[in-house]
Amino acid sequence: MREVAIIGVGMTKFGELWDQGIRDIYAEAALKAMENAGVEKIDSMYVGAMSGGLYAYQEHLSSVMADYIGQKGVPSARVESACASGGTAIRAAFMEVASGMSDIVLAGGVEKMWDVEDGTFVLATASDQEYEAYNGVTFPGLYAMMARAYMDKYNLTREELAAIPIKNHKHAVNNPNAQYPFELDLKGVLGSSMVADPLTLMDCSPITDGAAAVILCPLDLAHKFTKHPVKIKGIGAATGPIALHNHVDMTKLDAVRIAGERAYKMAKLKPLDISFVEVHDCFSIAEIIVLEELGFFKYGKAGKAIANGEATYGGKIVVNPSGGLKAKGHPVGATGVAQVIECYEQLTGKAGKRQVKNANYGMAQNMGGSGGSCVVHILEAV
Ligand code: COA
């Protein structure tokens, strides 16, 4: 297997991009990534998207995007794994380069979520249709049940839970691509409208339009394109039960733990080696459970640790320097790619005011549904 590096990145601003269509935003991110890498021709490409059909009435994204970015004739495939579609696209591109089949591969993710009336319905198609969505349970509802179970089991207070969006919004202030780069306080979280008890509006990731893309090539060739390649040192992917009631414990996410173990094993690293991590904080409680499953904090301890300042600059590990899904935004198919771009920028010293000092290894954790799928990447500047 060949070693693989990222040689260029590009993304759109995240938010309500009402004057651009789905192809425009994918092309903006893809062409920026190609320009950044200094490549005009790619050998192959992937489009990560949860639901081009339901959100933008456009299926066949593989062909639409290859044509629109001027790469006629290249092999192209759309990749879907709910909110983990972006991370899954990078994994597919990695395998294509690692196998020796292609040299220059584009992995992009995109979602245009603002253009439909019933976005909640579209998101719910990523849950279990027969047992959850059909009976009216939405993702805020599912994560609210996880939050209640965790708060009861580990005596986490509502105020401690609010520390997650407060931290992530503070980080997003320094991210020019963030959808909601404003500071938030406890009153702002607790006083925002109730979505699914105990989760309020400020505990939820938003509806977002956006796209993100990276260019991969064999590590051996990477320095021909850039002085600052970033090696993909480890990848782990896993699936878990799609329905929440099939989780043995609602305060755990098995797919995250398994994907994390696989990524650590491939990278030959441990949690203590990681300098910062981008995690899938689709709802406040998700950040807590994910950090525990990835081994950064013991079970039952992550929520209190975040409230004590251990997950920000100067703490044990910087979590979501980009602002996370909550404040940077969550265009579901693009999220996993944007997380890897934050790692790339941090590891190459290009993160500006968000820069994590002495960053050696970065991790990106991208998840589908309520733990139905997960992809973890570990990256290193070389
Ligand atoms: N954070 C901060 N501000 C938000 C926000 C969020 N998550 N969501 C909406 N807002 C703002 C809007 O910009 C708007 O501001 P304005 O009045 O100044 O224009 C206001 O709050 C109301 O927005 P609106 O779009 O009417 O909110 P909504 O009630 O329709 O939707 C949620 C809010 C939480 C239900 C929706 O964002 C949601 O479903 N989020 C979860 C997405 C999800 O499940 N993703 C997949 C995860 S697995």
Side-chain angles (χ1 to χ4, degrees):
M1 191 165 83
R2 300 195 291 183
E3 293 191 297
V4 178
I6 298 173
I7 54 168
V9 303
M11 66 183 283
T12 64
K13 187 168 166 42
F14 281 5
E16 185 183 2
L17 308 177
W18 63 271
D19 56 346
Q20 290 174 286
I22 188 170
R23 69 182 75 192
D24 300 311
I25 58 175
Y26 182 88
E28 182 183 327
L31 295 176
K32 276 184 186 169
M34 288 171 65
E35 190 185 348
N36 187 234
V39 299
E40 287 183 358
K41 189 89 191 93
I42 54 173
D43 297 329
S44 176
M45 61 184 274
Y46 291 87
V47 184
M50 178 187 148
S51 192
L54 292 175
Y55 275 130
Y57 310 111
Q58 180 66 69
E59 299 289 12
H60 209 175
L61 293 178
S62 54
S63 165
V64 172
M65 300 310 180
D67 189 28
Y68 204 56
I69 65 170
Q71 297 292 321
K72 290 186 180 58
V74 299
S76 174
R78 173 198 162 182
V79 174
E80 188 276 316
S81 190
C83 305
S85 298
T88 306
I90 296 183
R91 183 172 179 270
F94 174 95
M95 290 190 293
E96 186 161 339
V97 176
S99 71
M101 194 165 194
S102 298
D103 281 342
I104 309 292
V105 180
L106 165 70
V110 64
E111 215 74 59
K112 192 82 178 65
M113 300 172 73
W114 270 95
D115 295 355
V116 291
E117 279 289 312
D118 198 358
T120 299
F121 160 76
V122 182
L123 286 167
T125 62
S127 66
D128 188 313
Q129 271 303 315
E130 288 183 19
Y131 291 98
E132 293 174 334
Y134 178 80
N135 293 295
V137 190
T138 61
F139 276 112
L142 291 167
Y143 277 90
M145 287 190 256
M146 292 160 79
R148 275 278 167 241
Y150 187 100
M151 290 163 85
D152 286 349
K153 185 169 178 182
Y154 296 116
N155 294 320
L156 184 82
T157 67
R158 182 63 189 89
E159 289 73 18
E160 287 166 340
L161 185 63
I164 289 100
I166 292 171
K167 166 184 69 70
N168 289 341
H169 271 273
K170 194 167 182 191
H171 292 176
V173 168
N174 293 318
N175 187 345
N177 289 322
Q179 181 173 5
Y180 290 121
F182 59 80
E183 289 226 29
L184 188 61
D185 60 14
L186 185 60
K187 213 170 136 195
V189 181
L190 302 187
S192 62
S193 49
M194 181 56 72
V195 174
D197 188 31
L199 304 178
T200 65
L201 182 70
M202 292 300 150
D203 287 295
C204 304
S205 58
I207 301 302
T208 311
D209 299 336
V214 296
I215 305 285
L216 306 189
C217 83
L219 184 60
D220 285 353
L221 299 181
H223 282 100
K224 284 190 185 165
F225 296 97
T226 175
K227 283 186 195 147
H228 304 293
V230 166
K231 180 178 154 183
I232 300 181
K233 201 169 166 60
I235 299 187
T239 49
I242 189 161
L244 187 60
H245 62 258
N246 283 333
H247 288 234
V248 175
D249 181 339
M250 287 211 296
T251 68
K252 303 261 190 327
L253 288 164
D254 293 348
V256 178
R257 188 182 63 258
I258 297 166
E261 284 168 359
R262 288 178 178 153
Y264 286 127
K265 187 173 175 201
M266 182 173 164
K268 299 192 180 67
L269 293 173
K270 298 186 285 303
L272 268 180
D273 299 315
I274 306 295
S275 316
F276 65 92
V277 57
E278 284 282 304
V279 299
H280 198 100
D281 59 315
C282 49
F283 300 93
S284 304
I285 187 64
E287 177 162 321
I288 295 175
I289 298 178
V290 163
L291 287 174
E292 294 174 0
E293 294 292 15
L294 294 173
F296 294 113
F297 297 97
K298 292 206 165 81
Y299 288 118
K301 303 289 183 200
K304 291 184 189 299
I306 297 167
N308 287 334
E310 290 185 40
T312 189
Y313 299 82
K316 183 178 172 192
I317 181 166
V318 184
V319 180
N320 282 329
S322 70
L325 282 51
K326 169 66 197 79
K328 181 184 58 185
H330 183 25
V332 286
T335 282
V337 183
Q339 291 176 316
V340 167
I341 291 180
E342 178 67 15
C343 293
Y344 178 91
E345 295 195 332
Q346 292 287 349
L347 292 167
T348 53
K350 294 178 189 152
K353 290 183 181 165
R354 309 192 304 285
Q355 189 63 50
V356 176
K357 286 200 186 114
N358 305 320
N360 296 325
Y361 302 110
M363 176 185 275
Q365 177 268 332
N366 185 206
M367 182 163 66
S370 48
S373 58
C374 182
V375 186
V376 173
H377 288 91
I378 297 178
L379 300 115
E380 176 191 20
V382 285

